[in-house]
Amino acid sequence: MCGIVAYIGEKNAYPILIKGLQRLEYRGYDSAGVALLNGKLNIYKRKGKVSDLIDFVGENNVDGTIGIGHTRWATHGKPDDVNAHPHISGNGRLTLIHNGIIENYALIKKALEVEGHTFNTETDTEVLVHLIEEIQTREKLTLEEAVRVALTKVVGAYAIVVLDKEDPNKLVAARKASPLVIGIDENGFLLASDATPIIEHTKKVVYLNDEEIATVRRDGTFEIRTIGANEIQTPFIHELEMQIERLEKGGYDYFMLKEIHEQPTTIQDAMRGRLNAVDSWIKLGGIEENLEKFKDAERLIIVACGTSWHSGLIAEYIFEDLARIPVEVEYASEFRYRNPVITDKDVVIAISQSGETADTLAALELAKQKGAMIYGIVNVVGSSIARLTDAGSYIHAGPEIGVASTKAFTGQVTLLTLMALSIAQKRGTISESYFKKLTQEMEQIPHKVARVLEKCNTQIEYISGEIKNANNALYLGRGYSFPVALEGALKLKEISYIHAEGYPAAEMKHGPIALIDENMPVIVIATNQSAYEKIVSNVQEVKARQGMVIAIVTEGEKEISKLADYSIEIPETEEPLTPLLSVIPMQLLSYHIAVMRGCNVDQPRNLAKSVTVE
Ligand code: F6R
């Protein structure tokens, strides 16, 4: 979490930094700050959003063609003006921005205190900038060398940029386990946590690798060294394909709403060139190249967090159902610490929108060490997970900026469905006719999602008004709809702050049924073709206890609609594909409720889009 941005070149740095911070605000938004050098060093930092920082800066001096900026998601020290970045060294010479955590900061701090350093903040970052200063002055080193030596002494994760007041012609940056991208502009360099602040200035970027340190200079030269061995690396310059319009709200009130409405297109984009229902084929580069591994896999292990973990659960149903491969779905944070049994016959699939989630990355590293093939389902091109995996597929959903994941979820499910179908076909575990039927139906999904968005939105807005004051909500589903229930509950919790639980519908009677009364909205995803009678019984059980039932049903359904207080109809599809449609009402419901409750939909409290700390 935390977003960092820096600029050196011919232009004024302040507007570039501010625009960059606004683009990176999804990574953290509890405080923000900038440092600008123009003979004098001006540092402005403020608790709150980037807009609060802009107000605070007001008419103050923002001159300077070199500067660094930060938007924070607090880890060490509360979010306030003092703990906000940039942080400054004891002698006032160095200023630093940091994304990550220095795990051994307490030890280093004690040692520096013995040397006479005093600290003004509670942050690990201030300790790091003091350490660099100490090494620079004591050993009389250049800035890049002092940074390099300091980083050999720290344990943890970092993406940093350091500005030296006495050298306005260079910036030094480094990364380990937190992302850092360098944009190469004709007139200077931009450094940022991702490419979104860079794209409007240049398409040429270098992704810094772990344990690399970069020096960018005003004269247009730059170099990259490794932290340990100090060898010079030959940087690979990538050409960005991102479109700038996808970073704007495009007339919607919130990014989340825009992203919900983009789904007919993003699902189509996830399938583009990969699926041909007429000729009955699916081609996914990463699968074709590793066909034997997938065909012979004794087990698939899916590691992910949050919404991506829910996509993994849907994949478990699809892979086991169609490809007949045993699947385990693991929270990456648990998997990495519990000494899991992994063999070289396993394929480990990581699912991640950002490609930067610290726990997922660590789980993958562990699986790689144990000899498993690792495969990535990722949205952000060039992200750490995408680069670590042996093979993988991008979901091509474009930048997802709303903190609550929507289009990335449907992109992940689309891709995982294609993977399962393709492997099932190759393993001969699916009949040609069912394969054809499912692929034909996949092609219809974007149109059907568009229909749900068009037909259901007004009704869902009305229902949202009826339940917006609830304190709790229960989401129920069976089979393929169970992970959708989990996802619906997560969406409601995170953006409207209503407590919600997702349950397999049949589990309700083992405990949660005690909670049901007339104040408890129960959202039942009842699009099942199999076990339909059973879900009807579950709805009856809720109604018998005066619960308010909001049912998601298939168009034309009669029985549950008669029992439910509200029924939202979605188009019929093949059962394994229903999550792609039934999740849309879940997203709209939580969106409308959050708006009605006056919540900041795109930036819910305490959250950040990219969880780069454990
Ligand atoms: C919820 C949400 C989070 C993420 C989770 C994993 O709406 O967005 O639960 O799904 O933090 O993030 P990624 O997919 O980037 O690894």
Side-chain angles (χ1 to χ4, degrees):
M1 0 265 266
C2 299
I4 65 177
V5 59
Y7 177 75
I8 181 167
E10 290 173 7
K11 301 178 199 163
N12 268 336
Y14 181 68
I16 296 175
L17 298 181
I18 289 293
K19 188 91 185 273
L21 290 180
Q22 284 166 330
R23 293 233 194 275
L24 292 173
E25 216 171 7
Y26 72 88
R27 301 177 66 86
Y29 34 81
D30 55 41
S31 53
V34 289
L36 296 149
L37 183 58
N38 183 22
K40 186 172 174 297
L41 180 69
N42 288 309
I43 301 181
Y44 304 103
K45 36 191 212 172
R46 203 68 178 160
K47 179 177 178 198
K49 305 240 149 76
V50 178
S51 56
D52 298 305
L53 174 68
I54 298 170
D55 292 344
F56 174 65
V57 171
E59 301 300 312
N60 282 302
N61 182 358
V62 289
D63 291 345
T65 52
I66 178 169
I68 57 180
H70 188 272
T71 178
R72 180 168 187 242
W73 186 87
T75 58
H76 293 62
K78 58 185 176 298
D80 61 17
D81 296 351
V82 176
N83 288 330
H85 298 215
H87 287 290
I88 189 155
S89 65
N91 60 9
R93 179 172 166 182
L94 305 181
T95 326
L96 181 144
I97 45 172
H98 170 215
N99 166 210
I101 290 182
I102 305 302
E103 289 170 10
N104 59 342
Y105 83 102
L107 272 179
I108 299 174
K109 189 172 184 175
K110 263 201 197 122
L112 288 170
E113 277 167 346
V114 171
E115 299 296 325
H117 288 254
T118 53
F119 294 90
N120 298 316
T121 80
E122 301 155 63
T123 64
D124 51 339
T125 306
E126 191 190 15
V127 174
L128 180 57
V129 71
H130 275 246
L131 177 66
I132 299 170
E133 174 210 298
E134 173 68 24
I135 293 170
Q136 187 185 34
T137 38
R138 194 181 55 214
E139 298 180 24
K140 303 204 174 8
L141 298 177
T142 59
L143 178 62
E144 45 272 61
E145 193 51 13
V147 169
R148 193 189 71 76
V149 174
L151 292 177
T152 60
K153 300 188 187 309
V154 307
V155 177
Y158 50 78
I160 57 167
V161 184
V162 194
L163 170 66
D164 183 346
K165 199 172 142 191
E166 287 176 19
D167 189 350
N169 295 320
K170 77 174 173 214
L171 287 168
V172 175
R175 81 155 261 178
K176 183 178 176 198
S178 293
L180 194 60
V181 190
I182 303 172
I184 307 168
D185 188 9
E186 277 176 10
N187 310 308
F189 293 97
L190 276 116
L191 299 96
S193 299
D194 71 22
T196 58
I198 295 176
I199 183 71
E200 59 199 89
H201 302 280
T202 175
K203 285 190 180 308
K204 279 196 208 148
V205 295
V206 172
Y207 293 97
L208 211 59
N209 291 312
D210 270 353
E211 308 212 336
E212 282 182 351
I213 175 163
T215 306
V216 296
R217 298 194 188 83
R218 194 178 287 284
D219 64 10
T221 61
F222 75 106
E223 71 202 13
I224 296 176
R225 293 167 185 269
T226 57
I227 286 168
N230 201 16
E231 294 156 9
I232 297 195
Q233 307 290 294
T234 315
F236 179 74
I237 300 177
H238 295 254
E239 192 77 16
L240 288 174
E241 281 173 17
M242 198 180 279
Q243 293 153 350
I244 191 84
E245 312 79 67
R246 299 191 85 168
L247 300 171
E248 312 285 350
K249 281 194 200 139
Y252 287 93
D253 289 342
Y254 287 97
F255 278 110
M256 181 183 179
L257 190 60
K258 175 182 174 232
E259 287 157 7
I260 290 173
H261 279 88
E262 278 175 350
Q263 289 175 108
T265 312
T266 52
I267 294 174
Q268 186 74 62
D269 288 345
M271 296 193 288
R272 197 177 306 285
R274 292 169 163 168
L275 165 76
N276 184 324
V278 176
D279 297 330
S280 259
W281 58 252
I282 289 172
K283 282 200 185 102
L284 288 161
I287 303 284
E288 303 294 313
E289 287 153 22
N290 295 282
L291 197 52
E292 294 312 311
K293 269 274 178 201
F294 276 101
K295 272 175 73 181
D296 299 342
E298 284 179 1
R299 196 168 55 143
L300 300 181
I301 302 173
I302 297 180
V303 290
C305 303
T307 287
S308 299
W309 185 78
H310 297 154
S311 310
L313 284 184
I314 294 172
E316 179 179 24
Y317 282 83
I318 306 186
F319 270 101
E320 293 204 343
D321 193 6
L322 306 180
R324 309 302 297 148
I325 307 178
V327 180
E328 281 171 29
V329 188
E330 302 266 2
Y331 283 117
S333 54
E334 289 297 315
F335 180 81
R336 61 183 289 200
Y337 286 121
R338 66 166 180 75
N339 194 14
V341 178
I342 310 168
T343 74
D344 59 1
K345 288 262 182 273
D346 293 327
V347 174
V348 176
I349 302 174
I351 308 174
S352 176
Q353 187 288 126
S354 62
E356 300 294 348
T357 301
D359 284 319
T360 311
L361 253 173
L364 272 189
E365 271 158 10
L366 177 75
K368 195 169 191 164
Q369 274 163 25
K370 298 210 175 200
M373 174 188 153
I374 57 174
Y375 196 90
I377 303 285
V378 173
N379 189 32
V380 177
V381 175
S383 56
S384 303
I385 293 177
R387 288 182 298 132
L388 179 72
T389 42
D390 297 314
S393 309
Y394 285 116
I395 62 172
H396 298 311
E400 189 179 66
I401 293 166
V403 163
S405 185
T406 52
K407 63 176 180 173
F409 174 81
T410 47
Q412 291 163 351
V413 175
T414 302
L415 209 56
L416 288 158
T417 307
L418 293 186
M419 274 174 76
L421 275 166
S422 160
I423 295 166
Q425 187 188 40
K426 276 141 195 159
R427 280 169 64 94
T429 52
I430 187 170
S431 69
E432 267 313 308
S433 58
Y434 192 38
F435 179 87
K436 191 158 194 97
K437 199 164 177 193
L438 283 174
T439 49
Q440 281 170 341
E441 194 49 35
M442 276 301 276
E443 287 191 332
Q444 295 311 308
I445 291 292
H447 311 293
K448 292 188 177 179
V449 169
R451 204 154 96 211
V452 178
L453 288 167
E454 215 174 281
K455 258 190 60 189
C456 304
N457 189 43
T458 312
Q459 184 196 12
I460 294 174
E461 197 169 355
Y462 175 79
I463 298 170
S464 302
E466 296 295 292
I467 63 170
K468 67 175 194 292
N469 295 323
N471 292 321
N472 299 289
L474 200 57
Y475 285 72
L476 302 176
R478 300 182 79 110
Y480 283 103
S481 298
F482 162 53
V484 181
L486 293 179
E487 175 59 7
L490 176 62
K491 285 291 88 100
L492 189 69
K493 276 188 270 221
E494 67 180 329
I495 60 167
S496 75
Y497 318 140
I498 296 176
H499 169 245
E501 300 269 3
Y503 259 92
E507 273 293 304
M508 179 181 62
K509 55 187 167 297
H510 298 287
I513 200 163
L515 295 169
I516 294 177
D517 62 15
E518 65 282 7
N519 299 317
M520 172 70 94
V522 183
I523 295 97
V524 186
I525 301 128
T527 50
N528 302 57
Q529 289 144 14
S530 54
Y532 172 73
E533 292 308 328
K534 297 198 188 302
I535 196 105
V536 175
S537 307
N538 297 140
V539 172
Q540 265 157 345
E541 287 155 13
V542 175
K543 282 316 299 173
R545 282 143 189 102
Q546 278 80 50
M548 178 205 271
V549 172
I550 298 151
I552 316 300
V553 296
T554 307
E555 277 168 355
E557 194 281 344
K558 295 271 175 327
E559 217 171 325
I560 293 174
S561 303
K562 245 189 267 155
L563 292 168
D565 297 81
Y566 302 100
S567 54
I568 300 167
E569 291 194 347
I570 62 171
E572 185 164 14
T573 186
E574 289 297 317
E575 189 149 8
L577 311 185
T578 49
L580 287 166
L581 303 183
S582 57
V583 76
I584 309 293
M586 306 290 106
Q587 299 169 345
L588 288 171
L589 191 68
S590 49
Y591 169 79
H592 287 302
I593 293 175
V595 171
M596 287 171 190
R597 288 167 68 96
C599 301
N600 185 337
V601 170
D602 284 337
Q603 295 177 343
R605 67 184 179 205
N606 305 338
L607 290 176
K609 183 84 186 149
S610 186
V611 187
T612 54
V613 296
E614 296 192 33

